[in-house]
Amino acid sequence: MAIAVTPPRGMRDFLPADKAVRERSLGIIRDSFRAHGFDEIETPVMEDSDRLHAGLGGDNEKLAFAVLKRGLSAADVAAAAEQDDLLSLADLGLRFDLTVPLARFYATHRAALPAVFRSIQIAPVWRAERPQKGRYRQFMQCDIDIIGEAGPLAEIELITATAATLDQLGLEGCSIRINDRRILSALLAYWNVGAELTERALIVIDKLDKIGVDGVASELGTLGIDAPDLATLLTELGSGGWPLGDSAPKWLDTAAFADLTDLRAALPGVDLVFDPTLVRGMGYYTGTIFEISHPDLAYSLGGGGRYDGMIGRFLGTDVPACGFSIGFERIVDLLQADAASAQHAVVLVYEKDADSARLVALKRDLIAGGLRVRLERRTKNLKALLDRAGEAGYGRFAFVSADTQAAVDLDFKPLGA
């Protein structure tokens, strides 16, 4: 019987051409972040289970992959099942984001870090998602964070670095939606939402782009939030924008809105859009929140915000923190292979009786000249061979004949011509 050879659901293999695009994109992101003064760190793929389920990750905690304790018995499993506490069987878990590990990292190494620490983390994370387009169970995150800066400089630096990185990647038309959790809190207070329903209400509002105004109004109604002007108010909020002026709603947290206005003034080269319905699903955000939008896409390309309360859970004393994450898997799908790199990647097509030593000498000389070189023995179906080379990111080829003595004798032709 045939054995399944596909990767696990929600996880993927990458062919050479796809891998080349990914690595080139990651290189651009890494270099851009470093140019803005951020330093790269690395954390383990696993954290203690208790840490991953400490109430810091919002709904993503429910999606964490757990790692069972070693040496469990059938009795241990039965006892946990009887108490409906299967999570007690795990002591570790795969990280579901990079923010919780960063908070733990900072608490561990604080004495060795600067007063204001600017970090880069580029690494895979895992969530037990229901796989769909743009949503996977293993995916790459590209995070920058600033820890120790309580003022708006943190948001300004993060947004500036992220916008510059999107430009470096060649993504045009992106804007950054921005809001503040204080504005959302004021909105919920206006609706008389109790503290016990706050997070659930925010999760519902976060669905506005998926289920529409009527759907959000209906779900909020099931939570006991009954306001006759709810749908109208949500519609007005969704088209709020910056020029509120005298039309600003009476419930608006004016201090928070003034802070956002100041941020906009400090970022004249960034398309910053005020969206009072922006939520961000993670429960640890405490202030400014933001997301990357693209006019051709219904979903965001990344996001982040201020999470001043998280590190204090590990240290016992609060430390201001703010971060921005690029949604790499969604962005890389929009990028094309690098044509310039392809021109520096060449294929030498040789006959089966070619001298191996001469082939290697030719290859060595071309590599010394800055080229990437692949040797391919000529086949009957030459077109298929060249097509595969082109798909793998090679841009030119040359035949190695009996008369070819040196690299200067090679006649390179473009692949696909």
Side-chain angles (χ1 to χ4, degrees):
M1 186 173 67
I3 298 174
V5 293
T6 56
R9 285 192 70 224
M11 300 181 183
R12 298 165 293 164
D13 296 323
F14 296 105
L15 292 169
D18 298 324
K19 181 65 173 174
V21 174
R22 291 174 68 85
E23 290 302 317
R24 171 180 169 270
S25 304
L26 289 171
I28 292 172
I29 293 169
R30 181 175 279 110
D31 290 345
S32 179
F33 285 165
R34 287 182 59 81
H36 285 263
F38 293 81
D39 296 314
E40 190 163 6
I41 65 169
E42 184 174 331
T43 58
V45 302
M46 291 189 288
E47 294 284 347
D48 288 341
S49 180
D50 290 344
R51 185 171 299 125
L52 293 174
H53 295 274
L56 300 173
D59 278 356
N60 286 329
E61 292 189 3
K62 302 174 185 176
L63 302 177
F65 284 100
V67 179
L68 295 179
K69 298 174 183 176
R70 275 59 60 203
L72 289 172
S73 67
D76 295 327
V77 176
E82 184 177 349
Q83 297 173 20
D84 194 22
D85 187 17
L86 294 178
L87 191 58
S88 66
L89 299 173
D91 57 353
L92 298 171
L94 290 173
R95 62 192 178 203
F96 53 74
D97 74 356
L98 297 176
T99 307
V100 174
L102 173 64
R104 195 273 310 153
F105 173 94
Y106 183 82
T108 303
H109 301 285
R110 185 181 188 184
L113 299 173
V116 176
F117 178 50
R118 296 168 174 83
S119 76
I120 303 170
Q121 283 191 98
I122 298 178
V125 299
W126 293 264
R127 295 178 191 169
E129 297 271 14
R130 180 174 296 173
Q132 54 187 286
K133 181 176 175 56
R135 192 177 292 274
Y136 306 101
R137 288 178 173 172
Q138 177 179 318
F139 56 97
M140 189 73 68
Q141 280 195 334
C142 304
D143 288 14
I144 46 174
D145 294 80
I146 298 179
I147 301 176
E149 173 57 64
L153 180 60
E155 283 90 340
I156 294 169
E157 283 199 83
L158 290 166
I159 293 173
T160 298
T162 300
T165 301
L166 296 175
D167 287 342
Q168 288 288 316
L169 289 167
L171 288 175
E172 299 179 351
C174 290
S175 60
I176 296 177
R177 299 160 59 209
I178 193 166
N179 196 16
D180 194 297
R181 276 295 180 107
R182 292 173 292 171
I183 290 176
L184 289 167
S185 296
L187 173 60
L188 295 181
Y190 173 75
W191 285 335
N192 297 313
V193 177
E196 72 283 359
L197 291 177
T198 294
E199 288 304 319
R200 291 176 63 189
L202 290 177
I203 290 171
V204 173
I205 295 173
D206 200 28
K207 299 178 183 178
L208 189 60
D209 60 340
K210 299 180 181 69
I211 63 177
V213 170
D214 292 338
V216 168
S218 176
E219 282 201 30
L220 288 176
T222 65
L223 297 180
I225 303 170
D226 183 18
D229 62 342
L230 188 57
T232 301
L233 181 57
L234 283 174
T235 302
E236 292 172 350
L237 286 173
S239 59
W242 289 105
L244 294 179
D246 295 334
S247 64
K250 59 184 178 182
W251 55 263
L252 182 70
D253 186 316
T254 55
F257 183 71
D259 289 344
L260 295 182
T261 303
D262 290 342
L263 273 180
R264 184 195 188 202
L267 295 161
V270 179
D271 185 8
L272 213 60
V273 179
F274 173 53
D275 183 353
T277 64
L278 176 64
V279 173
R280 299 289 299 164
M282 305 301 278
Y284 49 63
Y285 290 124
T286 58
T288 317
I289 48 178
F290 25 75
E291 278 191 355
I292 305 168
S293 291
H294 190 280
D296 297 334
L297 303 173
Y299 46 79
S300 73
L301 296 178
R306 182 166 285 279
Y307 53 99
D308 289 343
M310 180 184 287
I311 295 173
R313 298 281 289 272
F314 300 116
L315 282 178
T317 178
D318 283 343
V319 178
C322 195
F324 209 144
S325 178
I326 285 179
F328 179 75
E329 306 299 347
R330 290 176 171 180
I331 281 177
V332 76
D333 288 342
L334 303 175
L335 304 178
Q336 302 297 319
D338 183 17
S341 295
Q343 292 307 302
H344 287 83
V346 300
V347 177
L348 300 184
V349 181
Y350 62 92
E351 301 295 339
K352 64 179 180 179
D353 58 352
D355 181 70
S356 297
R358 184 156 56 90
L359 287 173
V360 173
L362 288 171
K363 182 177 181 179
R364 182 174 58 245
D365 290 346
L366 292 172
I367 291 172
L371 296 179
R372 175 185 176 212
V373 186
R374 173 187 284 184
L375 298 176
E376 289 280 5
R377 190 171 72 177
R378 185 164 185 164
T379 60
K380 289 183 178 179
N381 192 343
L382 178 62
K383 182 178 183 303
L385 183 153
L386 297 178
D387 286 345
R388 284 195 300 271
E391 291 170 359
Y394 290 83
R396 295 181 293 156
F397 76 99
F399 293 111
V400 179
S401 68
D403 298 329
T404 306
Q405 299 299 316
V408 294
D409 300 328
L410 294 168
D411 180 20
F412 283 104
K413 300 176 181 178
L415 280 167

